[in-house]
Amino acid sequence: MSEEQLIAEAILQLKQESNVIKDYIFPIAMALFSSLIGAVIGYRVYLRQEKLTAEKRKLDILNKWILIADEMHQSLLATKYNYYGNLTSNPYQRFLVVPSIIGMGKNYQLEYHELVFITDQKETKWLNVAYLRTLFANYNTLRSMWNIRNELNDKVRIQFFKANNLNTAYADLSDEEIESKINQSDLSCLIDLTERSLRLTDDLIIEFYKFLNEFPTAVSKKIDLKLLKNYGFILHLDFKKNKAVHLLLEECPLPDYKKISKITGKTEEELMARYSPLFK
């Protein structure tokens, strides 16, 4: 065999020798590893997107409830503005000076289950869905009470105008004229509805004011705000510098329970319990 043939055979043998790990296992392992890394990264991105979507939904829900509370609060303030500063303790004067309330806002159909994610009864009342349901549901209750009072108030006014032979303004009636010209059953119901409506209006104004100030801070721990920094934030409506709102936060003067007791036949203790604050 010539020298050239020996060299050619040696080169051929070198080419035929293979490294199984290098030529087969390593490329396959690298492909699998790359696929695994891609899958892990894709899964993490998916989880982040899912979390981002969930947190966005939470933020939207919280802001929706804050805006609803503000709508209710503004409606309550507008209602109280009709009689603020004009009330005495005389139950007759009180029902006379409070007009029929128009435009109490809409009747809200609320989905309380949306707030389940904030539930933590040990922390604060604002994380107690049952408490929030009591607060918001009582707005609809009050709205119904004012509507019923409006109807009864109009009925009583008609009685007065039919019986009135003198040129006396409705608001200037004396106690004797009221008792002689207005059906006593209607009068008793109107006074009772007036007092209940005044009391609940005060209660809700004060409690919604507290809600708007305290709820945003209370729920801030229930949502990942860092993740949402490019999406939005929790609304915080500040009324601390609004003097008009602060004036309307003052509770109405208490009625003369003794006089109401004579009109309605209920004891003073029963009346004080009936017209007691809801949230204290």
Side-chain angles (χ1 to χ4, degrees), residues 153-200:
N153 189 45
D154 292 341
K155 179 181 178 181
V156 168
R157 283 174 181 268
I158 291 172
Q159 290 179 23
F160 162 70
F161 288 121
K162 284 183 176 180
N164 185 31
N165 297 319
L166 302 174
N167 188 22
T168 306
Y170 184 64
D172 295 331
L173 288 173
S174 66
D175 289 2
E176 292 75 17
E177 287 174 315
I178 291 171
E179 291 168 358
S180 64
K181 296 180 179 180
I182 298 175
N183 178 280
Q184 291 302 297
S185 176
D186 291 339
L187 179 63
S188 176
C189 289
L190 180 57
I191 288 174
D192 180 61
L193 270 172
T194 299
E195 295 304 329
R196 289 172 62 196
S197 299
L198 292 175
R199 178 68 266 170
L200 189 52

Side-chain angles (χ1 to χ4, degrees), residues 51-66:
K51 181 174 175 59
L52 180 59
T53 300
E55 294 302 303
K56 283 181 177 180
R57 180 176 178 276
K58 290 179 184 179
L59 181 61
D60 291 342
I61 288 171
L62 294 176
N63 283 336
K64 182 187 78 172
W65 281 82
I66 291 170

Side-chain angles (χ1 to χ4, degrees), residues 32-71:
L32 290 174
F33 183 72
S34 298
S35 298
L36 179 61
I37 292 297
V40 170
I41 293 174
Y43 184 65
R44 288 175 67 91
V45 169
Y46 169 78
L47 289 179
R48 180 178 175 80
Q49 288 299 320
E50 285 291 297
K51 181 174 175 59
L52 180 59
T53 300
E55 294 302 303
K56 283 181 177 180
R57 180 176 178 276
K58 290 179 184 179
L59 181 61
D60 291 342
I61 288 171
L62 294 176
N63 283 336
K64 182 187 78 172
W65 281 82
I66 291 170
L67 289 172
I68 289 173
D70 183 52
E71 285 181 10

Side-chain angles (χ1 to χ4, degrees), residues 65-264:
W65 281 82
I66 291 170
L67 289 172
I68 289 173
D70 183 52
E71 285 181 10
M72 292 179 171
H73 193 230
Q74 294 300 321
S75 177
L76 292 164
L77 292 173
T79 296
K80 186 170 181 177
Y81 188 77
N82 286 282
Y83 54 81
Y84 171 74
N86 296 325
L87 298 176
T88 66
S89 63
N90 186 338
Y92 288 158
Q93 186 271 347
R94 290 163 77 90
F95 90 76
L96 288 171
V97 80
V98 177
S100 293
I101 302 299
I102 300 173
M104 256 294 284
K106 61 185 178 182
N107 190 59
Y108 290 86
Q109 301 296 325
L110 300 171
E111 303 292 337
Y112 297 100
H113 68 272
E114 293 179 335
L115 295 171
V116 170
F117 71 93
I118 70 169
T119 303
D120 190 345
Q121 298 181 18
K122 296 180 181 179
E123 285 284 329
T124 170
K125 63 184 178 182
W126 304 125
L127 301 182
N128 185 334
V129 176
Y131 185 86
L132 295 177
R133 182 175 58 200
T134 299
L135 173 61
F136 282 83
N138 267 286
Y139 176 85
N140 287 338
T141 299
L142 176 62
R143 182 177 178 275
S144 297
M145 285 172 57
W146 277 117
N147 288 336
I148 295 171
R149 185 202 177 266
N150 288 346
E151 294 176 4
L152 189 56
N153 189 45
D154 292 341
K155 179 181 178 181
V156 168
R157 283 174 181 268
I158 291 172
Q159 290 179 23
F160 162 70
F161 288 121
K162 284 183 176 180
N164 185 31
N165 297 319
L166 302 174
N167 188 22
T168 306
Y170 184 64
D172 295 331
L173 288 173
S174 66
D175 289 2
E176 292 75 17
E177 287 174 315
I178 291 171
E179 291 168 358
S180 64
K181 296 180 179 180
I182 298 175
N183 178 280
Q184 291 302 297
S185 176
D186 291 339
L187 179 63
S188 176
C189 289
L190 180 57
I191 288 174
D192 180 61
L193 270 172
T194 299
E195 295 304 329
R196 289 172 62 196
S197 299
L198 292 175
R199 178 68 266 170
L200 189 52
T201 299
D202 271 353
D203 289 343
L204 292 179
I205 285 176
I206 294 169
E207 202 64 10
F208 273 118
Y209 177 83
K210 292 178 181 177
F211 173 90
L212 291 168
N213 278 322
E214 301 171 13
F215 181 75
T217 301
V219 297
S220 62
K221 297 179 182 178
K222 298 296 181 177
I223 189 170
D224 191 343
L225 292 172
K226 290 182 179 179
L227 186 63
L228 297 171
K229 63 182 179 180
N230 294 323
Y231 178 73
F233 52 88
I234 298 175
L235 289 174
H236 198 147
L237 306 175
D238 189 1
F239 298 100
K240 293 179 181 178
K241 296 181 180 179
N242 191 324
K243 294 181 179 179
V245 171
H246 278 249
L247 289 174
L248 293 172
L249 288 174
E250 297 175 7
E251 296 184 25
C252 295
L254 293 176
D256 185 338
Y257 293 112
K258 186 175 182 179
K259 193 165 186 175
I260 297 178
S261 177
K262 291 180 179 179
I263 298 168
T264 63

